[in-house]
Amino acid sequence: DIQMTQSPSSLSSSVGDRVTITCHASQDISNYLNWYQQKPGRAPKLLIYDASKLETGVPSRFRGSGSGTDFTLNISSLQPEDIATYYCQQYENLPYTFGQGTKLEIK
Amino acid sequence: QVQLQESGPRLVKPSETLSLTCTVSGGSISGFYWSWIRQPPGKGLEWIGFYSGKTSYNPSLQSRVTISVDTSTNQLSLRLRSVTAADTALYYCARQGGGTFSSWGQGTLVTVSS
């Protein structure tokens, strides 16, 4: 299985800050990488697909980048509604696997 | 817009079979890939398997899981045999395009306990 490792596991930032979450794959996954946002008590929601493509309706402050084994999710200006846990997911190989999640909190 | 709704027993006894249904509305279940994904309380996400006319399962669960589709009722089903407490989780169904989970149900919590 391809292992997905996110860092940090948790993060506390202020409104308006730029936030960066990284995801490392245990082998080359090209750009077969998605990012999801999960708010408390809710199902995950697709934010970014194919490493850098913004899902329809997702605010432009979210940006994904990377290829190969290292990927980044950036939030350009943190908003209160961005409080959630963020997961990366690879689909280069079965089984699909997720990172362990990054919990984002407001300072 | 497609909507997914999971249903089924919330409590299952150890060694028994967990059975869940996902009802799809707002679109046909035919012609898409459909997955089950689970999340133990307070933990991360684990892909269980998908149905696309054929099935593919996570090797970690393959010996115990069956996913099927009933096109007449627009429903996706999950059966997980010989459950233990480690199978306690929030179970989601999701529609996928390629390997991307674009639409999710709200999830249903299943507890394995005697």
Side-chain angles (χ1 to χ4, degrees), chain B residues 16-111:
Chain B
E16 295 190 345
T17 296
L18 179 159
S19 295
L20 294 175
T21 297
C22 173
T23 299
V24 178
S25 58
S28 174
I29 201 168
S30 299
F32 290 95
Y33 283 48
W34 302 92
S35 269
W36 286 98
I37 297 159
R38 69 180 184 178
Q39 184 173 36
K43 296 188 178 180
L45 299 159
E46 180 183 31
W47 174 72
I48 298 169
F50 71 61
Y51 182 95
S52 63
K54 60 179 182 179
T55 53
S56 182
Y57 301 128
N58 193 320
S60 67
L61 297 167
Q62 184 162 5
S63 63
R64 299 193 291 130
V65 68
T66 301
I67 295 175
S68 59
V69 158
D70 185 339
T71 55
S72 67
T73 59
N74 238 31
Q75 291 180 326
L76 173 75
S77 295
L78 170 70
R79 287 174 57 84
L80 184 64
R81 297 174 290 277
S82 304
V83 297
T84 69
D87 296 309
T88 293
L90 195 55
Y91 285 79
Y92 294 101
C93 57
R95 190 175 80 175
Q96 60 182 94
T100 300
F101 305 112
S102 53
S103 299
W104 297 64
Q106 65 185 27
T108 188
L109 179 63
V110 179
T111 301

Side-chain angles (χ1 to χ4, degrees), chain A residues 41-60:
Chain A
R42 304 290 297 274
K45 171 190 171 184
L46 178 65
L47 291 180
I48 304 284
Y49 63 98
D50 294 349
S52 62
K53 297 176 182 176
L54 198 65
E55 174 70 344
T56 302
V58 174
S60 58

Side-chain angles (χ1 to χ4, degrees), chain A residues 34 36 38 43-44 87 89 94 96, chain B residues 39 56 92 96 99-101 105:
Chain A
N34 300 318
Y36 300 88
Q38 186 177 32
Y87 294 94
Q89 175 243 330
L94 293 174
Y96 304 128
Chain B
Q39 184 173 36
S56 182
Y92 294 101
Q96 60 182 94
T100 300
F101 305 112

Side-chain angles (χ1 to χ4, degrees), chain A residues 1-58:
Chain A
D1 297 4
I2 297 176
Q3 304 302 313
M4 306 300 292
T5 304
Q6 290 180 231
S7 62
S9 295
S10 63
L11 179 59
S12 182
S13 293
S14 299
V15 172
D17 281 356
R18 178 180 179 87
V19 170
T20 299
I21 298 169
T22 64
C23 178
H24 177 77
S26 60
Q27 66 186 69
D28 190 337
I29 60 170
S30 185
N31 67 331
Y32 298 124
L33 188 284
N34 300 318
W35 289 98
Y36 300 88
Q37 175 193 64
Q38 186 177 32
K39 295 184 177 181
R42 304 290 297 274
K45 171 190 171 184
L46 178 65
L47 291 180
I48 304 284
Y49 63 98
D50 294 349
S52 62
K53 297 176 182 176
L54 198 65
E55 174 70 344
T56 302
V58 174

Side-chain angles (χ1 to χ4, degrees), chain A residues 38-40 78-86 104-106:
Chain A
Q38 186 177 32
K39 295 184 177 181
L78 185 65
Q79 299 302 304
E81 60 266 31
D82 300 336
I83 298 313
T85 300
Y86 293 83
L104 179 55
E105 298 174 327
I106 295 284

